[in-house]
């Protein structure tokens, strides 16, 4: 109920009702007052008229009987009259009922009415007289006493009286009609006012509903605009606003999506921080990074490494961009943190983490490589300089010593040449510039041919060289024979070099189930377990004593690994210190 009074319908309705009721009330009161007076006056005037006429008739008519008839006709049904002479005696009576005598008595004894004889002017009075129907009951009557003249002389009076019940009845009827009309007007107003106010407010209600649905995110909401008044204009403006809001939101959405796409497709991790260091926004790489940090910092406080927190605080405090390269949990990051402004106030910062681990690794590889190459070159160069100086200075006396020195110089120069070649090979292999010239190659003859190159060398070192390539059968494999020869040469060379005299080196080959395997096993010094995983790294030498002549450059196995892998295969080392080593490489191939 309270709702209706809070609504415009209610207020409008109540206002119209109040206004109309007020007007109706005033009009009814005035009308009733007016009608009451009107009827009273009319009755009095009639009485007055009748009295005047009667007095004229009495005065002018010679024949009293004729005048009696005229007067009798003249008087209305409910009007009675008595004519009295100066002494107060009743001369004539008209329309008297059974209560006539009583009324006569009352009228003649009434002091006010008897003034008619003295004042010579009519006297009007409202009084209660016995009813015509029941003489004991009093009813309201209007009485008029007018003097009668004969010439200039007063010779009596006429008392005209009328029962006012009829007049009062009239007034009551009129009142009833007036009140009924007022009531009907009120009821009709009630209905029409309600109808009117609902009609005015129904478009407003629709607008309200539309505004609500707009607020709930349904931007397609349109309000009908059938009217051409202020509310119609409002509806048009509302629809325009809705379209504008929708358009603006779409534009914002597109921009957001674009930014989101950029952020998501970035390989750098982006984290946006609040002023207090809490995280506002991240992209997928940042999520992965944060997860890693979280896992790594289980027992520490906060998700973010302290270094980052420190940088953030600096950015917020000094409002300047900070850039740094930091190792974080085993990874290297190039970190840039810039302040985020809202006006001139720093509301946070955005940090970009670029993973530099790979670059860092490559950098280290490059510097290590350079260091190793220069280290490897230094020894032979100093030897070359030393021996060649000795030769040119003529310090060497015997021909034998000179020969010996010349041989050393040649060996070292060759070693340097090999180193340079190997380095070039390795760089080409690693950078992918080395091209393989694969051709269908029969495995068995290849293995036997390469192994046979080492027969003399093995014999010199007093080592038994066994070759068993029967397992390879008739297999024909697509491979770059020169490169595979490089691999096998290095493996057999290593085996012979690391096997003492009396030992055995065995080269075995098989080709089953689409897998070519070549193994070089020796009974030599073996490789310590801690070195085993590193022997394929460049410049790695398990025998730390870089004995001249015997020692290689430490690139052979790295090159072998690269070649085998570029054939789609793999290489592995099995060894036991003091017992021997088996190096095996495998290359998958398609059987024909
Ligand atoms: N059969 C083997 N027995 C024992 N140690 C070996 C054997 N093969 C390789 N090694 C160890 O692995 C290291 C690396 O071998 P790799 O062939 O790469 O270098 P290198 O033989 O010293 O030099 P390069 O082959 O370049 O002349 C060797 O220095 C050696 O210590
Ligand atoms: Mg070698």
């Amino acid at each position: 109920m309270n709702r209706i009074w809070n609504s415009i319908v209610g207020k409008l309705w109540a206002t119209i009702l109040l206004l109309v009721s007020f007007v109706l009330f005033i009009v009814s009161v005035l009308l009733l007052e007016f009608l009451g007076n009107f009827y009273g006056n009319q009755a009095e005037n009639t009485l007055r008229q009748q009295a005047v006429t009667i007095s004229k008739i009495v005065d002018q008519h010679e024949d009293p009987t004729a005048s009696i008839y005229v007067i009798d006709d003249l008087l209305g049904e409910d009007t009675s009259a008595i004519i009295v002479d100066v002494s107060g005696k009743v001369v004539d009576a008209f329309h008297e009922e059974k209560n006539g005598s009583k009324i006569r008595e009352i009228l003649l004894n009434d002091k006010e009415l008897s003034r008619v004889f003295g004042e010579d002017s009519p006297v009007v009075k409202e009084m209660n007289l016995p009813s015509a129907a029941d003489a004991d009951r009093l009813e309201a009557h209007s009485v008029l006493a007018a003097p009668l003249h004969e010439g200039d002389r007063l010779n009596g009076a006429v008392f005209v009286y009328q029962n006012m019940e009829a007049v009062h009845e009239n007034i009551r009827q009129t009142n009833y009609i007036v009140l009924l009309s007022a009531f009907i007007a009120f009821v009709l107003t009630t209905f029409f006012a309600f109808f009117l106010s609902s009609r005015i407010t129904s478009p407003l209600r629709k607008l309200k509903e539309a505004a609500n649905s707009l607020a709930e995110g349904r931007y397609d909401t349109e309000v009908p605009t059938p009217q051409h008044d202020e509310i119609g204009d409002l509806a048009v403006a509302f629809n325009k606003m809705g379209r504008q809001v929708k358009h603006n939101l779409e534009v914002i959405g597109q921009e957001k999506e674009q930014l989101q796409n950029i952020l998501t497709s970035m390989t750098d991790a982006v984290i946006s921080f609040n002023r207090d260091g809490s995280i506002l926004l991240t992209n997928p790489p940042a999520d992965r990074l944060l997860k890693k940090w979280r896992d790594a910092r289980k027992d520490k406080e906060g998700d973010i490494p302290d270094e980052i927190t420190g940088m953030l605080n600096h950015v917020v405090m000094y409002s300047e961009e900070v850039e740094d390269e930091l190792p974080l949990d085993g990874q290297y990051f190039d970190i840039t943190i810039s302040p985020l402004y809202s006006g001139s106030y720093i509301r946070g910062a955005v940090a970009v983490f670029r993973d530099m681990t790979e670059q860092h690794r490559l950098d280290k590889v490059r510097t290590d490589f350079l260091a190793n190459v220069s280290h490897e070159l230094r020894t032979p160069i100093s030897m070359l300089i030393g021996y060649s100086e000795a030769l040119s200075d003529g310090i060497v006396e015997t021909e034998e010593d000179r020969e010996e020195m010349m041989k050393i110089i040649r060996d070292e120069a060759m070693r340097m040449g090999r180193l340079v070649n190997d380095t070039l090979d390795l760089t080409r292999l690693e950078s992918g510039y080395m091209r393989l010239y694969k051709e269908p190659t029969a495995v068995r003859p290849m293995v036997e041919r390469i192994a046979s190159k080492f027969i003399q060398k093995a014999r010199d070192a007093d080592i038994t060289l066994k070759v068993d390539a029967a397992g390879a059968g008739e297999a024909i494999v697509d491979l770059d024979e020169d490169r595979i020869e490089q691999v096998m040469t290095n493996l057999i060379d290593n085996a012979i070099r690391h096997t003492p005299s009396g030992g055995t080196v065995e080269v075995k080959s098989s080709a089953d189930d689409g897998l070519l395997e070549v193994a070089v096993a020796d009974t030599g010094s073996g490789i310590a377990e801690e070195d085993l995983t590193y022997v394929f790294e460049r410049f790695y030498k398990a025998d730390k004593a870089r004995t001249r002549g015997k020692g290689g450059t430490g690139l052979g196995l790295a090159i072998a690994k690269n070649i085998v892998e570029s054939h789609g295969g793999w290489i592995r080392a099995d060894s036991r210190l003091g017992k021997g080593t088996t190096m095996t490489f495998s290359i998958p191939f398609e059987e024909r």
Side-chain angles (χ1 to χ4, degrees), residues 418 422 490-491 493-495 497-498 522 525-527 535 537 540-543 551-558 581 583:
R418 221 170 62 226
D422 283 356
N490 182 49
L491 293 185
D493 178 61
N494 282 351
R497 268 195 298 130
H498 293 98
D522 65 54
S525 56
I527 305 167
V535 290
E537 297 212 345
Y540 194 86
K541 293 168 195 163
D543 39 357
T553 55
L555 288 175
L557 284 179
T581 307
M583 293 280 179

PDB file of all heavy atoms in Angstrom, residues 418 422 490-491 493-495 497-498 522 525-527 535 537 540-543 551-558 581 583, ligand 1:
ATOM      1  N   ARG A 418      94.875 -29.347 -37.347  1.00  0.00           N
ATOM      2  CA  ARG A 418      93.745 -30.195 -37.023  1.00  0.00           C
ATOM      3  C   ARG A 418      92.741 -29.461 -36.132  1.00  0.00           C
ATOM      4  O   ARG A 418      91.541 -29.537 -36.316  1.00  0.00           O
ATOM      5  CB  ARG A 418      94.253 -31.454 -36.322  1.00  0.00           C
ATOM      6  CG  ARG A 418      93.532 -32.704 -36.803  1.00  0.00           C
ATOM      7  CD  ARG A 418      94.200 -33.973 -36.283  1.00  0.00           C
ATOM      8  NE  ARG A 418      94.194 -34.060 -34.834  1.00  0.00           N
ATOM      9  CZ  ARG A 418      95.263 -34.403 -34.105  1.00  0.00           C
ATOM     10  NH1 ARG A 418      96.416 -34.636 -34.687  1.00  0.00           N
ATOM     11  NH2 ARG A 418      95.174 -34.482 -32.808  1.00  0.00           N
ATOM     12  N   ASP A 422      89.038 -28.943 -36.954  1.00  0.00           N
ATOM     13  CA  ASP A 422      87.997 -29.484 -36.066  1.00  0.00           C
ATOM     14  C   ASP A 422      87.071 -28.376 -35.577  1.00  0.00           C
ATOM     15  O   ASP A 422      85.855 -28.528 -35.530  1.00  0.00           O
ATOM     16  CB  ASP A 422      88.628 -30.198 -34.865  1.00  0.00           C
ATOM     17  CG  ASP A 422      89.158 -31.562 -35.264  1.00  0.00           C
ATOM     18  OD1 ASP A 422      88.945 -31.933 -36.439  1.00  0.00           O
ATOM     19  OD2 ASP A 422      89.769 -32.236 -34.410  1.00  0.00           O
ATOM     20  N   ASN A 490      87.621 -41.332 -35.295  1.00  0.00           N
ATOM     21  CA  ASN A 490      87.858 -40.769 -33.967  1.00  0.00           C
ATOM     22  C   ASN A 490      87.669 -41.826 -32.891  1.00  0.00           C
ATOM     23  O   ASN A 490      88.475 -41.928 -31.952  1.00  0.00           O
ATOM     24  CB  ASN A 490      86.944 -39.586 -33.723  1.00  0.00           C
ATOM     25  CG  ASN A 490      87.217 -38.960 -32.362  1.00  0.00           C
ATOM     26  OD1 ASN A 490      88.380 -38.697 -32.032  1.00  0.00           O
ATOM     27  ND2 ASN A 490      86.180 -38.787 -31.569  1.00  0.00           N
ATOM     28  N   LEU A 491      86.611 -42.640 -33.014  1.00  0.00           N
ATOM     29  CA  LEU A 491      86.342 -43.643 -31.979  1.00  0.00           C
ATOM     30  C   LEU A 491      87.475 -44.668 -31.919  1.00  0.00           C
ATOM     31  O   LEU A 491      87.978 -44.994 -30.831  1.00  0.00           O
ATOM     32  CB  LEU A 491      85.007 -44.359 -32.250  1.00  0.00           C
ATOM     33  CG  LEU A 491      83.730 -43.504 -32.136  1.00  0.00           C
ATOM     34  CD1 LEU A 491      82.494 -44.380 -32.303  1.00  0.00           C
ATOM     35  CD2 LEU A 491      83.687 -42.767 -30.801  1.00  0.00           C
ATOM     36  N   ASP A 493      90.518 -44.354 -33.133  1.00  0.00           N
ATOM     37  CA  ASP A 493      91.741 -43.649 -32.726  1.00  0.00           C
ATOM     38  C   ASP A 493      91.792 -43.480 -31.210  1.00  0.00           C
ATOM     39  O   ASP A 493      92.813 -43.763 -30.580  1.00  0.00           O
ATOM     40  CB  ASP A 493      91.771 -42.294 -33.432  1.00  0.00           C
ATOM     41  CG  ASP A 493      92.979 -41.476 -33.027  1.00  0.00           C
ATOM     42  OD1 ASP A 493      94.094 -41.938 -33.272  1.00  0.00           O
ATOM     43  OD2 ASP A 493      92.777 -40.371 -32.450  1.00  0.00           O
ATOM     44  N   ASN A 494      90.679 -43.027 -30.629  1.00  0.00           N
ATOM     45  CA  ASN A 494      90.600 -42.875 -29.165  1.00  0.00           C
ATOM     46  C   ASN A 494      90.898 -44.213 -28.487  1.00  0.00           C
ATOM     47  O   ASN A 494      91.682 -44.274 -27.528  1.00  0.00           O
ATOM     48  CB  ASN A 494      89.204 -42.420 -28.730  1.00  0.00           C
ATOM     49  CG  ASN A 494      89.008 -40.934 -28.966  1.00  0.00           C
ATOM     50  OD1 ASN A 494      89.970 -40.234 -29.303  1.00  0.00           O
ATOM     51  ND2 ASN A 494      87.781 -40.457 -28.815  1.00  0.00           N
ATOM     52  N   ALA A 495      90.225 -45.286 -29.004  1.00  0.00           N
ATOM     53  CA  ALA A 495      90.354 -46.601 -28.371  1.00  0.00           C
ATOM     54  C   ALA A 495      91.815 -47.049 -28.385  1.00  0.00           C
ATOM     55  O   ALA A 495      92.346 -47.486 -27.361  1.00  0.00           O
ATOM     56  CB  ALA A 495      89.456 -47.600 -29.102  1.00  0.00           C
ATOM     57  N   ARG A 497      94.477 -45.197 -28.733  1.00  0.00           N
ATOM     58  CA  ARG A 497      95.316 -44.312 -27.911  1.00  0.00           C
ATOM     59  C   ARG A 497      95.177 -44.591 -26.425  1.00  0.00           C
ATOM     60  O   ARG A 497      96.098 -44.385 -25.661  1.00  0.00           O
ATOM     61  CB  ARG A 497      94.959 -42.849 -28.201  1.00  0.00           C
ATOM     62  CG  ARG A 497      95.857 -42.283 -29.311  1.00  0.00           C
ATOM     63  CD  ARG A 497      95.783 -40.795 -29.369  1.00  0.00           C
ATOM     64  NE  ARG A 497      94.447 -40.334 -29.676  1.00  0.00           N
ATOM     65  CZ  ARG A 497      93.816 -39.409 -28.979  1.00  0.00           C
ATOM     66  NH1 ARG A 497      94.400 -38.876 -27.932  1.00  0.00           N
ATOM     67  NH2 ARG A 497      92.613 -39.034 -29.333  1.00  0.00           N
ATOM     68  N   HIS A 498      93.981 -45.020 -26.002  1.00  0.00           N
ATOM     69  CA  HIS A 498      93.765 -45.218 -24.572  1.00  0.00           C
ATOM     70  C   HIS A 498      93.913 -46.675 -24.143  1.00  0.00           C
ATOM     71  O   HIS A 498      93.508 -47.028 -23.047  1.00  0.00           O
ATOM     72  CB  HIS A 498      92.401 -44.666 -24.148  1.00  0.00           C
ATOM     73  CG  HIS A 498      92.341 -43.172 -24.271  1.00  0.00           C
ATOM     74  ND1 HIS A 498      91.786 -42.550 -25.358  1.00  0.00           N
ATOM     75  CD2 HIS A 498      92.821 -42.194 -23.471  1.00  0.00           C
ATOM     76  CE1 HIS A 498      91.884 -41.248 -25.227  1.00  0.00           C
ATOM     77  NE2 HIS A 498      92.527 -40.994 -24.076  1.00  0.00           N
ATOM     78  N   ASP A 522      87.159 -51.330 -26.298  1.00  0.00           N
ATOM     79  CA  ASP A 522      88.581 -51.542 -26.037  1.00  0.00           C
ATOM     80  C   ASP A 522      88.784 -52.097 -24.635  1.00  0.00           C
ATOM     81  O   ASP A 522      87.849 -52.119 -23.834  1.00  0.00           O
ATOM     82  CB  ASP A 522      89.373 -50.244 -26.255  1.00  0.00           C
ATOM     83  CG  ASP A 522      88.981 -49.172 -25.274  1.00  0.00           C
ATOM     84  OD1 ASP A 522      89.018 -49.431 -24.052  1.00  0.00           O
ATOM     85  OD2 ASP A 522      88.610 -48.044 -25.726  1.00  0.00           O
ATOM     86  N   SER A 525      92.108 -47.957 -20.592  1.00  0.00           N
ATOM     87  CA  SER A 525      92.104 -47.355 -19.253  1.00  0.00           C
ATOM     88  C   SER A 525      90.687 -47.050 -18.730  1.00  0.00           C
ATOM     89  O   SER A 525      90.501 -46.955 -17.526  1.00  0.00           O
ATOM     90  CB  SER A 525      92.904 -46.048 -19.296  1.00  0.00           C
ATOM     91  OG  SER A 525      92.336 -45.215 -20.297  1.00  0.00           O
ATOM     92  N   GLY A 526      89.754 -46.937 -19.653  1.00  0.00           N
ATOM     93  CA  GLY A 526      88.380 -46.614 -19.200  1.00  0.00           C
ATOM     94  C   GLY A 526      88.224 -45.156 -18.814  1.00  0.00           C
ATOM     95  O   GLY A 526      89.212 -44.406 -18.761  1.00  0.00           O
ATOM     96  N   ILE A 527      87.011 -44.782 -18.555  1.00  0.00           N
ATOM     97  CA  ILE A 527      86.741 -43.376 -18.197  1.00  0.00           C
ATOM     98  C   ILE A 527      86.039 -43.362 -16.840  1.00  0.00           C
ATOM     99  O   ILE A 527      85.122 -44.159 -16.603  1.00  0.00           O
ATOM    100  CB  ILE A 527      85.831 -42.703 -19.242  1.00  0.00           C
ATOM    101  CG1 ILE A 527      86.448 -42.841 -20.652  1.00  0.00           C
ATOM    102  CG2 ILE A 527      85.586 -41.234 -18.920  1.00  0.00           C
ATOM    103  CD1 ILE A 527      85.493 -42.500 -21.761  1.00  0.00           C
ATOM    104  N   VAL A 535      82.223 -36.427 -21.651  1.00  0.00           N
ATOM    105  CA  VAL A 535      83.199 -36.686 -22.725  1.00  0.00           C
ATOM    106  C   VAL A 535      82.735 -36.180 -24.074  1.00  0.00           C
ATOM    107  O   VAL A 535      83.561 -35.915 -24.943  1.00  0.00           O
ATOM    108  CB  VAL A 535      83.566 -38.189 -22.852  1.00  0.00           C
ATOM    109  CG1 VAL A 535      84.390 -38.620 -21.674  1.00  0.00           C
ATOM    110  CG2 VAL A 535      82.325 -39.036 -23.015  1.00  0.00           C
ATOM    111  N   GLU A 537      81.341 -33.309 -24.562  1.00  0.00           N
ATOM    112  CA  GLU A 537      81.412 -31.850 -24.630  1.00  0.00           C
ATOM    113  C   GLU A 537      82.726 -31.451 -25.262  1.00  0.00           C
ATOM    114  O   GLU A 537      83.748 -32.118 -25.075  1.00  0.00           O
ATOM    115  CB  GLU A 537      81.277 -31.257 -23.231  1.00  0.00           C
ATOM    116  CG  GLU A 537      79.928 -31.599 -22.664  1.00  0.00           C
ATOM    117  CD  GLU A 537      79.404 -30.542 -21.743  1.00  0.00           C
ATOM    118  OE1 GLU A 537      80.180 -29.674 -21.323  1.00  0.00           O
ATOM    119  OE2 GLU A 537      78.193 -30.622 -21.459  1.00  0.00           O
ATOM    120  N   TYR A 540      86.600 -31.312 -23.845  1.00  0.00           N
ATOM    121  CA  TYR A 540      86.694 -32.060 -22.593  1.00  0.00           C
ATOM    122  C   TYR A 540      87.665 -33.219 -22.752  1.00  0.00           C
ATOM    123  O   TYR A 540      87.558 -34.028 -23.664  1.00  0.00           O
ATOM    124  CB  TYR A 540      85.316 -32.591 -22.168  1.00  0.00           C
ATOM    125  CG  TYR A 540      85.339 -33.064 -20.737  1.00  0.00           C
ATOM    126  CD1 TYR A 540      85.120 -32.155 -19.699  1.00  0.00           C
ATOM    127  CD2 TYR A 540      85.636 -34.390 -20.430  1.00  0.00           C
ATOM    128  CE1 TYR A 540      85.187 -32.571 -18.393  1.00  0.00           C
ATOM    129  CE2 TYR A 540      85.702 -34.804 -19.125  1.00  0.00           C
ATOM    130  CZ  TYR A 540      85.483 -33.895 -18.104  1.00  0.00           C
ATOM    131  OH  TYR A 540      85.548 -34.301 -16.808  1.00  0.00           O
ATOM    132  N   LYS A 541      88.585 -33.264 -21.811  1.00  0.00           N
ATOM    133  CA  LYS A 541      89.535 -34.390 -21.840  1.00  0.00           C
ATOM    134  C   LYS A 541      89.537 -35.033 -20.482  1.00  0.00           C
ATOM    135  O   LYS A 541      89.751 -34.364 -19.470  1.00  0.00           O
ATOM    136  CB  LYS A 541      90.943 -33.888 -22.165  1.00  0.00           C
ATOM    137  CG  LYS A 541      91.027 -33.350 -23.575  1.00  0.00           C
ATOM    138  CD  LYS A 541      92.312 -32.603 -23.747  1.00  0.00           C
ATOM    139  CE  LYS A 541      92.290 -31.742 -24.990  1.00  0.00           C
ATOM    140  NZ  LYS A 541      93.346 -30.733 -24.938  1.00  0.00           N
ATOM    141  N   ALA A 542      89.279 -36.336 -20.467  1.00  0.00           N
ATOM    142  CA  ALA A 542      89.219 -37.026 -19.190  1.00  0.00           C
ATOM    143  C   ALA A 542      90.633 -37.179 -18.617  1.00  0.00           C
ATOM    144  O   ALA A 542      90.836 -37.014 -17.424  1.00  0.00           O
ATOM    145  CB  ALA A 542      88.564 -38.388 -19.364  1.00  0.00           C
ATOM    146  N   ASP A 543      91.602 -37.487 -19.523  1.00  0.00           N
ATOM    147  CA  ASP A 543      92.982 -37.587 -19.033  1.00  0.00           C
ATOM    148  C   ASP A 543      93.571 -36.184 -19.004  1.00  0.00           C
ATOM    149  O   ASP A 543      93.882 -35.601 -20.034  1.00  0.00           O
ATOM    150  CB  ASP A 543      93.824 -38.522 -19.919  1.00  0.00           C
ATOM    151  CG  ASP A 543      93.499 -38.357 -21.405  1.00  0.00           C
ATOM    152  OD1 ASP A 543      92.575 -37.553 -21.714  1.00  0.00           O
ATOM    153  OD2 ASP A 543      94.147 -38.993 -22.235  1.00  0.00           O
ATOM    154  N   GLY A 551      98.036 -36.555 -26.750  1.00  0.00           N
ATOM    155  CA  GLY A 551      96.750 -35.881 -26.434  1.00  0.00           C
ATOM    156  C   GLY A 551      96.120 -35.270 -27.669  1.00  0.00           C
ATOM    157  O   GLY A 551      96.808 -34.748 -28.535  1.00  0.00           O
ATOM    158  N   GLY A 552      94.780 -35.396 -27.735  1.00  0.00           N
ATOM    159  CA  GLY A 552      94.065 -34.757 -28.840  1.00  0.00           C
ATOM    160  C   GLY A 552      93.609 -33.370 -28.426  1.00  0.00           C
ATOM    161  O   GLY A 552      94.101 -32.812 -27.438  1.00  0.00           O
ATOM    162  N   THR A 553      92.642 -32.849 -29.148  1.00  0.00           N
ATOM    163  CA  THR A 553      92.159 -31.496 -28.831  1.00  0.00           C
ATOM    164  C   THR A 553      90.891 -31.538 -27.961  1.00  0.00           C
ATOM    165  O   THR A 553      90.466 -30.517 -27.441  1.00  0.00           O
ATOM    166  CB  THR A 553      91.810 -30.750 -30.122  1.00  0.00           C
ATOM    167  OG1 THR A 553      90.865 -31.549 -30.845  1.00  0.00           O
ATOM    168  CG2 THR A 553      93.038 -30.511 -30.963  1.00  0.00           C
ATOM    169  N   GLY A 554      90.293 -32.718 -27.840  1.00  0.00           N
ATOM    170  CA  GLY A 554      89.063 -32.818 -27.053  1.00  0.00           C
ATOM    171  C   GLY A 554      87.830 -32.427 -27.848  1.00  0.00           C
ATOM    172  O   GLY A 554      86.768 -32.203 -27.291  1.00  0.00           O
ATOM    173  N   LEU A 555      87.954 -32.368 -29.171  1.00  0.00           N
ATOM    174  CA  LEU A 555      86.808 -32.007 -30.010  1.00  0.00           C
ATOM    175  C   LEU A 555      86.198 -33.218 -30.717  1.00  0.00           C
ATOM    176  O   LEU A 555      85.055 -33.186 -31.164  1.00  0.00           O
ATOM    177  CB  LEU A 555      87.213 -30.977 -31.059  1.00  0.00           C
ATOM    178  CG  LEU A 555      87.493 -29.578 -30.537  1.00  0.00           C
ATOM    179  CD1 LEU A 555      87.999 -28.699 -31.681  1.00  0.00           C
ATOM    180  CD2 LEU A 555      86.239 -28.967 -29.937  1.00  0.00           C
ATOM    181  N   GLY A 556      86.969 -34.283 -30.806  1.00  0.00           N
ATOM    182  CA  GLY A 556      86.564 -35.450 -31.594  1.00  0.00           C
ATOM    183  C   GLY A 556      85.174 -35.966 -31.240  1.00  0.00           C
ATOM    184  O   GLY A 556      84.328 -36.141 -32.125  1.00  0.00           O
ATOM    185  N   LEU A 557      84.927 -36.230 -29.964  1.00  0.00           N
ATOM    186  CA  LEU A 557      83.632 -36.812 -29.577  1.00  0.00           C
ATOM    187  C   LEU A 557      82.493 -35.812 -29.767  1.00  0.00           C
ATOM    188  O   LEU A 557      81.379 -36.198 -30.112  1.00  0.00           O
ATOM    189  CB  LEU A 557      83.676 -37.308 -28.134  1.00  0.00           C
ATOM    190  CG  LEU A 557      84.434 -38.643 -27.943  1.00  0.00           C
ATOM    191  CD1 LEU A 557      84.445 -39.053 -26.476  1.00  0.00           C
ATOM    192  CD2 LEU A 557      83.809 -39.744 -28.795  1.00  0.00           C
ATOM    193  N   ALA A 558      82.784 -34.510 -29.530  1.00  0.00           N
ATOM    194  CA  ALA A 558      81.749 -33.487 -29.741  1.00  0.00           C
ATOM    195  C   ALA A 558      81.340 -33.469 -31.203  1.00  0.00           C
ATOM    196  O   ALA A 558      80.138 -33.425 -31.531  1.00  0.00           O
ATOM    197  CB  ALA A 558      82.264 -32.121 -29.312  1.00  0.00           C
ATOM    198  N   THR A 581      86.444 -49.416 -22.446  1.00  0.00           N
ATOM    199  CA  THR A 581      85.377 -48.495 -22.835  1.00  0.00           C
ATOM    200  C   THR A 581      84.693 -49.055 -24.067  1.00  0.00           C
ATOM    201  O   THR A 581      85.337 -49.644 -24.925  1.00  0.00           O
ATOM    202  CB  THR A 581      85.974 -47.129 -23.189  1.00  0.00           C
ATOM    203  OG1 THR A 581      86.793 -46.702 -22.114  1.00  0.00           O
ATOM    204  CG2 THR A 581      84.890 -46.092 -23.456  1.00  0.00           C
ATOM    205  N   MET A 583      82.218 -47.458 -27.008  1.00  0.00           N
ATOM    206  CA  MET A 583      81.492 -46.319 -27.573  1.00  0.00           C
ATOM    207  C   MET A 583      80.578 -46.870 -28.656  1.00  0.00           C
ATOM    208  O   MET A 583      81.050 -47.588 -29.544  1.00  0.00           O
ATOM    209  CB  MET A 583      82.473 -45.332 -28.219  1.00  0.00           C
ATOM    210  CG  MET A 583      83.381 -44.656 -27.231  1.00  0.00           C
ATOM    211  SD  MET A 583      82.504 -43.313 -26.449  1.00  0.00           S
ATOM    212  CE  MET A 583      83.757 -42.718 -25.355  1.00  0.00           C
TER     213      MET A 583
HETATM  214  N1  LIG B   1      88.222 -45.254 -25.569  1.00  0.00           N
HETATM  215  C1  LIG B   1      88.521 -44.379 -24.612  1.00  0.00           C
HETATM  216  N2  LIG B   1      89.074 -44.793 -23.433  1.00  0.00           N
HETATM  217  C2  LIG B   1      89.352 -43.907 -22.475  1.00  0.00           C
HETATM  218  N3  LIG B   1      89.111 -42.575 -22.533  1.00  0.00           N
HETATM  219  C3  LIG B   1      88.551 -42.113 -23.681  1.00  0.00           C
HETATM  220  C4  LIG B   1      88.214 -42.986 -24.743  1.00  0.00           C
HETATM  221  N4  LIG B   1      87.631 -42.206 -25.733  1.00  0.00           N
HETATM  222  C5  LIG B   1      87.638 -40.920 -25.287  1.00  0.00           C
HETATM  223  N5  LIG B   1      88.190 -40.853 -24.036  1.00  0.00           N
HETATM  224  C6  LIG B   1      88.309 -39.630 -23.241  1.00  0.00           C
HETATM  225  O1  LIG B   1      87.422 -38.649 -23.742  1.00  0.00           O
HETATM  226  C7  LIG B   1      88.139 -37.472 -24.080  1.00  0.00           C
HETATM  227  C8  LIG B   1      87.511 -36.822 -25.257  1.00  0.00           C
HETATM  228  O2  LIG B   1      87.740 -37.525 -26.427  1.00  0.00           O
HETATM  229  P1  LIG B   1      87.772 -36.795 -27.797  1.00  0.00           P
HETATM  230  O3  LIG B   1      87.843 -37.779 -28.876  1.00  0.00           O
HETATM  231  O4  LIG B   1      86.640 -35.852 -27.798  1.00  0.00           O
HETATM  232  O5  LIG B   1      89.059 -35.925 -27.634  1.00  0.00           O
HETATM  233  P2  LIG B   1      90.541 -36.325 -27.931  1.00  0.00           P
HETATM  234  O6  LIG B   1      90.557 -37.687 -28.416  1.00  0.00           O
HETATM  235  O7  LIG B   1      91.296 -36.005 -26.680  1.00  0.00           O
HETATM  236  O8  LIG B   1      90.928 -35.280 -29.020  1.00  0.00           O
HETATM  237  P3  LIG B   1      90.620 -35.398 -30.598  1.00  0.00           P
HETATM  238  O9  LIG B   1      89.778 -36.538 -30.770  1.00  0.00           O
HETATM  239  O10 LIG B   1      89.974 -34.093 -30.875  1.00  0.00           O
HETATM  240  O11 LIG B   1      91.973 -35.531 -31.206  1.00  0.00           O
HETATM  241  C9  LIG B   1      89.530 -37.927 -24.283  1.00  0.00           C
HETATM  242  O12 LIG B   1      90.388 -36.881 -24.018  1.00  0.00           O
HETATM  243  C10 LIG B   1      89.689 -39.061 -23.322  1.00  0.00           C
HETATM  244  O13 LIG B   1      90.056 -38.587 -22.067  1.00  0.00           O
END
